[in-house]
Amino acid sequence: MFINKIGHEHKEYGINCQDYGWIYNNIKCVVDGCSAGLHSEVGAKLFCELFKIENNIDNIFQKIFLTLDNSPENIKNYMCFTIMFVTEDENNYIVKYCGDGYIIKQKHDNSIEFDKIDDGEYPKYYAYNYLDKKYLSHYQNGVSFEQILFPKIEYKNIGVSTDGLRFIFDKEFEQEFIKLLTLNKEMAIKRLINRENKYFKDDITIAF
Amino acid sequence: MTNELDILGMDEIEIENTSVEEIDNESVNLIFVGIDGSGSMGGFISDMKNSLNDFKDALSNSKEVDEILVARADFADRINVGGYKKVSDFDTAYRSYGMTALYDVIVEGNEKLINYMTFLKNQGMRVKAVFAIFSDGDDTSSTNSLADAKRSVKNLNDEEITTAFISFGGGATKIAKTLDFKNILNVGSSATELRKAFNCLSKSVIESSKNVVNKQDDFFTM
């Protein structure tokens, strides 16, 4: 299941969708551009496209910097985005992330749980690794990917979502949304997001 | 009071048309095709069947087929406005008899289209629509008036629905203009022209499905 929807406030203010992602070769990936950047969707989309063919994150950033040089301005405007992805081996689902969002967990009894990944006010953007310390008030020693393993014996499916998912919680449609996730009803979830668009203020991308 | 149409948990409008659950898409293009079945079409019954088959085949073979739902409406002495169904369910049978209840089919067609469109939008669907009429002549038997039909076409135009009229043999061109259809295609009165008309209609429907925004003008693609 892959869902990528622009947020209501992005439409209201004429800001592009800054989320992106894909499911490709058994990898589920979502990225969420920082809204403080002028066009963070540019770096986010370039990253995603290159990540389909290359799994070394630093190589990907270097390739992007061949076009958008790594000046502090460019990094701020184009390269600040959360990265979350799920791979799997024989025994585990492996979630790696740098930044904030949600991990969606489905157990074999079909129950769904969400793990919120929250860096607080300052999400960890991998691009900080390419900035001189003097430009950073946080993460001056760099940032790295975190990894969590979810055993397949316990979990039926693991997915990731950008933080736009937060707008489902405590709403009338929360249980409907979760039920549709359980049933893997991609189109029905897209319609629900369209229908309840005013609540989905931020972009939302789900790879599950 | 128990409403037996609610037994399956579906609204009546979903039973008459296609239920949201059956549409594996978040965007849909609703195509209303009003077909003149009056006695004057009697010489073209088998050509009409062939043209309807070609129309169905063209839509079925297009990449956009999953986004298209078609309602067929027949009008002669009486009208029969069908629901919006998948292209595979489009009925290609044809017969002709009696008079031309053109205004009635426009009035009822408008009402049913707007109702279904509103229902789908409320379910979170992205909906576009085309309202097309094929006729060879003016109204001869409607209970609704010209003013009613004009009001319906205005409503369709106001809702940014593409309104299109195929005037077979040119006999209905004047009334199509009076009704304010935004797209009018005049074709000659022959089997070849009939085929051409439905070929044009299928191409135009497919093109309109490709566009994000409904084109109100320049609908017909030759």
Side-chain angles (χ1 to χ4, degrees):
Chain A
M1 170 193 299
F2 182 75
I3 291 160
N4 174 225
K5 287 277 179 190
I6 188 168
H8 178 66
E9 288 198 349
H10 279 242
K11 283 197 274 191
E12 289 274 300
Y13 291 96
I15 301 166
N16 288 337
C17 179
Q18 294 172 319
D19 278 13
Y20 197 57
W22 42 250
I23 297 177
Y24 184 74
N25 276 352
N26 240 13
I27 302 174
K28 300 160 190 159
C29 173
V30 299
V31 296
D32 177 1
C34 169
S35 54
L38 198 62
H39 280 295
S40 57
E41 74 276 10
V42 173
K45 287 186 177 180
L46 280 170
F47 172 83
C48 271
E49 289 307 317
L50 291 168
F51 192 40
K52 272 185 185 170
I53 49 175
E54 156 92 71
N55 58 19
N56 184 310
I57 306 285
D58 287 301
N59 280 356
I60 295 172
F61 272 76
Q62 294 298 346
K63 280 181 183 170
I64 297 173
F65 290 140
L66 293 175
T67 307
L68 299 166
D69 70 65
N70 62 349
S71 66
E73 248 189 351
N74 276 354
I75 287 180
K76 184 193 172 198
N77 283 330
Y78 302 113
M79 297 302 294
C80 290
F81 46 87
T82 285
I83 305 164
M84 301 183 81
F85 60 94
V86 188
T87 57
E88 56 186 279
D89 61 22
E90 198 182 330
N91 300 314
N92 296 293
Y93 292 102
I94 305 151
V95 176
K96 294 183 182 178
Y97 59 91
C98 190
D100 49 17
Y102 287 87
I103 298 170
I104 307 170
K105 306 180 297 185
Q106 183 172 28
K107 292 195 168 173
H108 286 287
D109 65 1
N110 281 330
S111 63
I112 296 267
E113 290 174 350
F114 303 98
D115 283 353
K116 187 179 181 186
I117 307 295
D118 189 1
D119 297 327
E121 197 179 344
Y122 301 101
K124 286 179 194 162
Y125 297 127
Y126 197 76
Y128 290 160
N129 292 325
Y130 298 94
L131 274 174
D132 195 304
K133 282 182 183 182
K134 68 181 179 188
Y135 296 110
L136 292 169
S137 59
H138 296 75
Y139 309 121
Q140 291 187 335
N141 295 322
V143 297
S144 57
F145 276 82
E146 306 281 337
Q147 177 175 301
I148 306 177
L149 299 184
F150 296 94
K152 286 186 172 174
I153 199 162
E154 193 177 344
Y155 294 98
K156 181 180 177 182
N157 190 16
I158 295 290
V160 281
S161 170
T162 58
D163 64 356
L165 186 70
R166 67 190 183 278
F167 292 105
I168 71 160
F169 300 113
D170 302 321
K171 303 291 189 308
E172 271 185 24
F173 55 80
E174 180 181 344
Q175 288 312 312
E176 181 188 357
F177 190 99
I178 292 169
K179 187 180 172 194
L180 294 173
L181 261 183
T182 309
L183 298 171
N184 201 26
K185 297 266 190 184
E186 178 183 313
M187 285 302 161
I189 292 179
K190 287 179 176 176
R191 289 194 294 261
L192 186 154
I193 295 170
N194 294 342
R195 193 186 77 204
E196 307 290 352
N197 187 245
K198 65 180 177 184
Y199 295 108
F200 288 90
K201 294 178 181 177
D202 196 3
D203 306 329
I204 179 168
T205 302
I206 299 169
F208 182 59
Chain B
M1 185 177 71
T2 304
N3 178 351
E4 67 178 323
L5 291 173
D6 287 341
I7 290 172
L8 297 174
M10 290 167 75
D11 289 345
E12 188 175 352
I13 200 163
E14 285 191 287
I15 294 167
E16 190 179 335
N17 298 285
T18 302
S19 77
V20 173
E21 280 301 307
E22 286 179 76
I23 307 169
D24 193 24
N25 218 306
E26 59 178 321
S27 301
V28 70
N29 196 4
L30 303 179
I31 311 299
F32 174 93
V33 188
I35 299 169
D36 187 341
S38 62
S40 55
M41 289 296 296
F44 296 98
I45 290 176
S46 109
D47 299 312
M48 186 59 116
K49 284 178 183 169
N50 291 335
S51 296
L52 291 171
N53 270 311
D54 291 347
F55 174 74
K56 181 178 180 176
D57 287 347
L59 296 188
S60 299
N61 294 327
S62 73
K63 285 182 193 164
E64 289 69 30
V65 65
D66 293 336
E67 290 183 28
I68 296 172
L69 295 177
V70 192
R72 173 173 166 167
D74 295 283
F75 59 101
D77 282 343
R78 288 190 296 271
I79 64 168
N80 179 23
V81 180
Y84 288 85
K85 300 288 183 186
K86 293 186 176 181
V87 175
S88 54
D89 296 333
F90 184 73
D91 183 7
T92 57
Y94 182 75
R95 67 190 187 113
S96 83
Y97 64 98
M99 316 271 273
T100 310
L102 175 63
Y103 302 156
D104 285 351
V105 85
I106 290 172
V107 171
E108 191 172 320
N110 159 60
E111 193 180 312
K112 288 190 168 178
L113 173 54
I114 297 293
N115 285 346
Y116 187 47
M117 204 168 175
T118 305
F119 170 80
L120 291 178
K121 282 182 177 174
N122 289 340
Q123 301 296 313
M125 297 287 299
R126 309 281 188 221
V127 191
K128 292 185 293 182
V130 173
F131 188 91
I133 296 282
F134 172 92
S135 182
D136 72 342
D138 206 339
D139 186 278
T140 54
S141 64
S142 286
T143 52
N144 285 286
S145 66
L146 170 63
D148 294 331
K150 271 189 87 164
R151 207 163 24 248
S152 293
V153 177
K154 181 180 184 309
N155 185 41
L156 292 162
N157 288 330
D158 289 348
E159 292 290 331
E160 299 188 351
I161 291 164
T162 304
T163 52
F165 199 109
I166 298 171
S167 172
F168 184 58
T173 307
K174 192 177 166 197
I175 188 63
K177 284 181 182 167
T178 305
L179 288 165
D180 199 22
F181 276 81
K182 295 289 182 195
N183 303 272
I184 300 170
L185 177 69
N186 288 300
V187 292
S189 179
S190 69
T192 312
E193 289 287 290
L194 183 62
R195 253 199 148 105
K196 190 173 126 190
F198 276 90
N199 184 29
C200 175
L201 182 61
S202 59
K203 277 185 186 168
S204 309
V205 164
I206 292 164
E207 277 304 308
S208 79
S209 298
K210 289 177 183 168
N211 297 323
V212 175
V213 179
N214 229 12
K215 282 200 298 184
Q216 284 207 278
D217 300 318
D218 298 328
F219 167 69
F220 286 118
T221 306
M222 298 303 284

